[in-house]
Amino acid sequence: MFRVVNFILAVIFCQWSPVNGFKATLPTLYEHYTQGGISSGLTTYPEGFLLNGKNITIVSGAIHYFRVHPEYWRARLRQLRAAGFVAVETYIPWNLHEPRSGEYDFGEGDNDFSLFLDFVKYLKVAQEEDLLAIVRPGPWIAAEWENGGLPSWLLRDPNLRPRHSNRPFIYYMNRFYDKVFPILRRLQFTEGGPIIAFQIENEYGLVGKGGSHPDTAYLQEIYQEMVKHNLTALKFTMDAPFNSYKNGSLPGVLMTANFQTDPVGQLKELKKLQPDQPLWVIESYPGWFDSWFDSQHYTMSTQASIDMTRAILEMSSSINLYMFHGGTTFGFMNGAIPNAHTPTIKFHVNSYDYDAPVTEAGDYTQKYNATAELVKQFLAVDTKLPQRPPESVKQAYGTVSYTGQLTVSQLIDQVPRADRVRAENVVAMELLDINSGSGQSYGFVVYRRKGVEVPSSSVLQITGYVHDMAVVLVDGVRETQAVTSLRQVSEFGCWQLGNGSLTLDAASSGTNKTLDILVENMGRRLSKKGLYDGDVLLNRQAIRDWEIVALQFHTKWVKSLTGWQKVSKTTGPTLFRSVLDVSTPHDTFVDMSAWGKGNVFVNGFNIGRYFSVGPTHTLYVPAPLLRKGANEILVFELYSPGPHLTFTDQPKLSN
Ligand SMILES: *[C@@H]1O[C@H](CO)[C@@H](O)[C@H](O)[C@H]1NC(C)=O
Ligand SMILES: *[C@@H]1O[C@H](CO)[C@@H](O)[C@H](O)[C@H]1NC(C)=O
Ligand SMILES: *[C@@H]1O[C@H](CO)[C@@H](O)[C@H](O)[C@H]1NC(C)=O
Ligand SMILES: *[C@@H]1O[C@H](CO)[C@@H](O)[C@H](O)[C@H]1NC(C)=O
Ligand SMILES: *[C@@H]1O[C@H](CO)[C@@H](O)[C@H](O)[C@H]1NC(C)=O
Ligand SMILES: *[C@@H]1O[C@H](CO)[C@@H](O)[C@H](O)[C@H]1NC(C)=O
């Protein structure tokens, strides 16, 4: 009888382990680390880490709240925990949280991304899912994110030097941190929250590469600002040991590593630089990101990823997988990186799938299984893990035709007066006196001149460079070719050609013509966008007196568009409208491989850019962006539209 009761109790309270049979109920992570009360946060000793005085191997994974629809936060975090991981790591993108200078948004704003910005909720969900958290508040976050997370309005101040101990930069940084740090303080482990550590800056050893001294005073500013706000959790810097040595570090602050190869050598180097501290790799890459013109979607084999993770863990190092789940860089939020070859700038695609253990759309991979299997051998303690949450249903909604259109001229006509500026000369989008003095951040800027006389064989020249791609129209007719190949990035209209010129079509000659130069910001990295290097010339005469129109495609504006016309124009730039009827909203992918280049908007929300050069050909539409019934799908096509839109249940990330 006693045995039977015990057996029943065992069934009720214990979890079945196929290896050991019944075993005593495991504690949750928080039960283990907070038992007896919290007296300390994360601390180090030469061989490892302690949390509240107990050994911990910090096996964490990066999942950015701003790259995952909030309705999927819990499922993604549970997937991380179910793989045995003990913490989630995230950056904080300043540009989203302070969209205009002095205007903050932590989820309660009325901006396109407001829905994604409640990181307090995200971190609370992480804690509910039995995860600790590591937070990297920048200010520079890199992350293949627009301007590395810095707000574009910083570029308005010619005296501002980003990422340095420069007064204007420190002023704006601290003003932002004065909003963010009090929120983060309350979320620290020692205050009953999930945060165990904060990163200071990001690969700062790379700044000043090639001679100039690392600006340690700047790192001190960030450190002091954290101290001032009682961010008492462990602080660290991160660099590649072999490339940067101690250049990005601060005396007395833990150094951590990132690298793509030679884990043993890199970690030995880190130990040499810092013998009395444990090893921690904050970015170990199970995959990589993609950029336009890459020939294929980057993939890393499960074996290679596992070998790297194992090598790191075998060195008794802690590890953060960057990314565990990449998600999506929605809207105009992709970043850019300089490149040694053509293309000289790599603009990142919107999918941030990363070939990570969990795919962009939240599906499990072989890498997930192998990673989970591996890490459990290295955890300091066995704790209770949740069931793996199920994958979402993916639906192929099929083809949808477009039935309405607005030409670019009709779009420009609907841009409010407040987003138009008159100027003698062309200027960068950031410098336009719009958005409460913060300038234009994202999208397209149109340089318009009416009443131009265009003799036949006219030549248009843009002094300097186009930042980044330009479409030229005369009386609404496109003069520039569709960009479909890498060669063209060195031709007129693209960022690689300086002082480019274009002979206008004979058919567009005449008097009283309207010239439009539509310039697209393809993703920023610390420099301004639009036309600003010098004059725009027509037949060697500088054109003056421009009307400059910010075509930002904010959700509210996109939803407000009216005057839809029957489809008649089969060339862009044109905004096409279609309606997707949905009986049950499910995750889906819109396949744009038959289209040229542009952006797709789902119920007003910009889900990203497509570009026939690839490698990415689909855009992910998470179910929460759809609703039962009619869904408005808009496509802003620059060149020539495909025959229809195709909704599929599979991503196409590779050429
Ligand atoms: C932590 O682990 C090390 C190595 O296994 C062990 O020597 C040490 O006693 C542990 N410390 C605590 C506080 O459990
Ligand atoms: C790092 O600093 C050392 C001097 O401490 C210098 O020789 C080296 O060039 C620097 N490396 C980089 C990448 O800046
Ligand atoms: C930081 O902590 C100290 C000591 O507990 C307290 O006096 C001070 O008000 C705190 N400051 C902030 C900004 O929280
Ligand atoms: C991963 O593991 C789960 C559960 O053990 C199993 O059902 C699934 O088939 C595995 N997936 C792959 C891709 O190996
Ligand atoms: C463009 O032309 C100007 C002279 O008008 C010259 O100074 C400049 O170097 C040229 N730039 C490029 C990139 O060729
Ligand atoms: C130029 O064209 C516009 C319409 O495009 C018209 O309103 C205007 O009167 C014309 N001006 C002249 C001088 O012909």
Side-chain angles (χ1 to χ4, degrees):
M1 177 64 185
F2 187 71
R3 295 177 79 96
V4 172
V5 170
N6 261 356
F7 178 76
I8 291 167
L9 286 176
V11 171
I12 296 170
F13 292 108
C14 300
Q15 70 177 31
W16 173 255
S17 155
V19 181
N20 306 325
F22 287 110
K23 66 178 180 187
T25 303
L26 292 168
T28 66
L29 193 72
Y30 277 82
E31 281 166 358
H32 176 77
Y33 284 105
T34 65
Q35 197 202 14
I38 298 171
S39 52
S40 55
L42 188 66
T43 55
T44 67
Y45 63 103
E47 290 78 38
F49 293 89
L50 299 174
L51 181 61
N52 199 21
K54 297 172 186 180
N55 274 315
I56 184 166
T57 310
I58 312 153
V59 177
S60 64
I63 306 177
H64 298 151
Y65 58 94
F66 46 95
R67 282 181 156 129
V68 178
H69 194 285
E71 285 190 29
Y72 287 158
W73 283 349
R74 188 178 297 280
R76 297 295 172 270
L77 291 163
R78 190 171 296 176
Q79 288 177 303
L80 178 65
R81 184 66 187 125
F85 284 54
V86 302
V88 63
E89 180 275 306
T90 187
Y91 280 124
I92 291 184
W94 179 6
N95 69 325
L96 290 186
H97 290 292
E98 193 175 349
R100 287 166 297 284
S101 180
E103 286 181 42
Y104 303 92
D105 190 349
F106 297 103
E108 71 294 349
D110 193 13
N111 298 295
D112 294 359
F113 271 86
S114 297
L115 186 64
F116 291 75
L117 297 184
D118 188 354
F119 63 73
V120 174
K121 185 169 171 204
Y122 181 72
L123 292 170
K124 284 188 169 155
V125 172
Q127 185 166 7
E128 284 163 17
E129 293 300 323
D130 206 25
L131 288 161
L132 301 160
I134 297 153
V135 173
R136 303 199 283 168
W140 176 260
I141 66 169
E144 291 68 68
W145 193 256
E146 154 56 44
N147 212 24
L150 300 185
S152 64
W153 47 260
L154 292 174
L155 294 162
R156 289 171 67 85
D157 184 342
N159 299 314
L160 184 144
R161 191 168 181 217
R163 305 182 74 193
H164 283 85
S165 55
N166 152 273
R167 278 192 170 280
F169 186 69
I170 299 296
Y171 168 79
Y172 291 119
M173 178 186 85
N174 285 348
R175 191 179 67 172
F176 176 60
Y177 282 161
D178 285 344
K179 300 285 176 199
V180 176
F181 286 175
I183 304 173
L184 294 176
R185 176 177 56 78
R186 298 189 286 272
L187 293 166
Q188 296 179 107
F189 181 78
T190 49
E191 309 265 333
I195 302 173
I196 56 169
F198 293 109
Q199 182 176 296
I200 295 172
E201 247 285 340
N202 196 69
E203 299 184 299
Y204 196 67
L206 292 175
V207 175
K209 191 173 177 174
S212 71
H213 292 290
D215 188 353
T216 307
Y218 162 59
L219 297 180
Q220 278 292 356
E221 284 283 352
I222 304 172
Y223 181 84
Q224 287 306 331
E225 184 71 7
M226 287 182 171
V227 169
K228 181 180 123 189
H229 285 284
N230 288 344
L231 299 194
T232 53
L234 186 71
K235 295 163 199 72
F236 62 89
T237 58
M238 176 199 70
D239 270 298
F242 279 158
N243 300 336
S244 300
Y245 306 100
K246 285 191 173 183
N247 298 15
S249 73
L250 263 183
V253 173
L254 181 71
M255 293 168 66
T256 69
N258 68 17
F259 46 75
Q260 277 183 284
T261 55
D262 192 8
V264 174
Q266 293 271 11
L267 287 175
K268 282 187 173 157
E269 181 64 33
L270 180 58
K271 197 73 188 173
K272 219 159 51 180
L273 296 170
Q274 185 185 247
D276 57 343
Q277 292 293 353
L279 299 174
W280 195 0
V281 181
I282 292 292
E283 291 190 5
S284 178
Y285 311 106
W288 201 247
F289 53 84
D290 296 331
S291 308
W292 297 116
F293 293 104
D294 286 354
S295 59
Q296 295 298 325
H297 170 48
Y298 185 97
T299 56
M300 182 191 270
S301 72
T302 295
Q303 193 58 51
S305 164
I306 289 299
D307 287 349
M308 175 67 83
T309 307
R310 182 187 288 107
I312 291 166
L313 290 167
E314 279 177 349
M315 299 277 287
S316 301
S317 175
S318 278
I319 186 171
N320 180 50
L321 274 202
Y322 187 97
M323 302 293 296
F324 183 82
H325 166 61
T328 311
T329 309
F330 290 109
F332 293 123
M333 287 303 134
N334 67 281
I337 194 169
N339 188 37
H341 311 284
T342 292
T344 52
I345 307 174
K346 284 194 161 210
F347 298 104
H348 309 309
V349 305
N350 292 83
S351 169
Y352 206 57
D353 178 83
Y354 223 87
D355 199 29
V358 172
T359 68
E360 178 181 12
D363 291 344
Y364 297 97
T365 63
Q366 195 193 13
K367 204 174 276 180
Y368 178 95
N369 283 11
T371 304
E373 196 56 41
L374 176 71
V375 304
K376 73 180 182 199
Q377 303 161 30
F378 291 90
L379 296 169
V381 56
D382 262 352
T383 50
K384 189 172 161 184
L385 300 182
Q387 294 284 320
R388 292 177 184 184
E391 292 177 350
S392 67
V393 174
K394 310 291 185 294
Q395 187 155 336
Y397 290 104
T399 60
V400 178
S401 52
Y402 44 90
T403 52
Q405 70 167 46
L406 289 170
T407 63
V408 72
S409 300
Q410 290 164 333
L411 279 178
I412 290 168
D413 289 345
Q414 295 192 47
V415 172
R417 203 167 267 284
D419 291 337
R420 299 159 176 269
V421 168
R422 294 210 85 94
E424 177 83 348
N425 291 323
V426 290
V427 295
M429 61 162 68
E430 293 83 353
L431 302 185
L432 300 179
D433 190 15
I434 64 167
N435 286 329
S436 323
S438 290
Q440 181 180 358
S441 293
Y442 316 115
F444 301 79
V445 55
V446 184
Y447 300 91
R448 165 167 281 194
R449 180 63 163 85
K450 286 186 175 164
V452 187
E453 191 183 335
V454 182
S456 61
S457 312
S458 282
V459 175
L460 183 77
Q461 187 179 28
I462 294 173
T463 307
Y465 291 92
V466 172
H467 311 271
D468 303 298
M469 289 177 79
V471 172
V472 173
L473 302 106
V474 176
D475 277 356
V477 178
R478 180 164 50 87
E479 295 277 334
T480 37
Q481 297 298 304
V483 174
T484 57
S485 69
L486 185 57
R487 170 183 55 80
Q488 289 170 282
V489 306
S490 308
E491 295 178 357
F492 182 87
C494 287
W495 66 93
Q496 281 188 213
L497 180 68
N499 294 343
S501 59
L502 175 75
T503 302
L504 301 179
D505 198 277
S508 59
S509 61
T511 54
N512 197 16
K513 294 284 176 177
T514 295
L515 171 72
D516 286 314
I517 308 176
L518 178 78
V519 181
E520 179 175 9
N521 166 4
M522 292 279 291
R524 232 185 236 102
R525 192 181 181 94
L526 300 176
S527 64
K528 298 197 282 290
K529 297 297 179 181
L531 301 180
Y532 56 85
D533 290 348
D535 289 335
V536 176
L537 312 159
L538 186 64
N539 302 321
R540 300 192 186 164
Q541 278 283 301
I543 302 173
R544 304 287 179 215
D545 191 20
W546 295 87
E547 181 178 20
I548 307 178
V549 183
L551 204 50
Q552 303 167 95
F553 287 99
H554 286 313
T555 301
K556 256 188 293 181
W557 179 76
V558 168
K559 282 178 160 173
S560 77
L561 292 170
T562 57
W564 294 97
Q565 311 283 307
K566 273 212 328 264
V567 174
S568 62
K569 200 164 183 250
T570 52
T571 173
T574 301
L575 186 69
F576 295 97
R577 181 178 185 272
S578 56
V579 173
L580 172 67
D581 267 307
V582 163
S583 51
T584 316
H586 285 306
D587 282 7
T588 187
F589 302 87
V590 55
D591 186 336
M592 300 305 291
S593 45
W595 293 62
K597 179 173 191 294
N599 281 78
V600 179
F601 304 83
V602 174
N603 293 319
F605 184 73
N606 182 356
I607 60 165
R609 180 183 280 118
Y610 60 90
F611 193 178
S612 64
V613 299
T616 315
H617 294 285
T618 51
L619 289 162
Y620 173 50
V621 185
L625 289 181
L626 297 173
R627 52 177 170 248
K628 193 174 156 68
N631 292 267
E632 186 179 61
I633 315 291
L634 303 183
V635 183
F636 184 54
E637 166 64 44
L638 293 175
Y639 310 137
S640 24
H644 42 62
L645 291 170
T646 305
F647 290 88
T648 158
D649 55 5
Q650 295 282 333
K652 185 170 188 294
L653 301 182
S654 225
N655 285 323

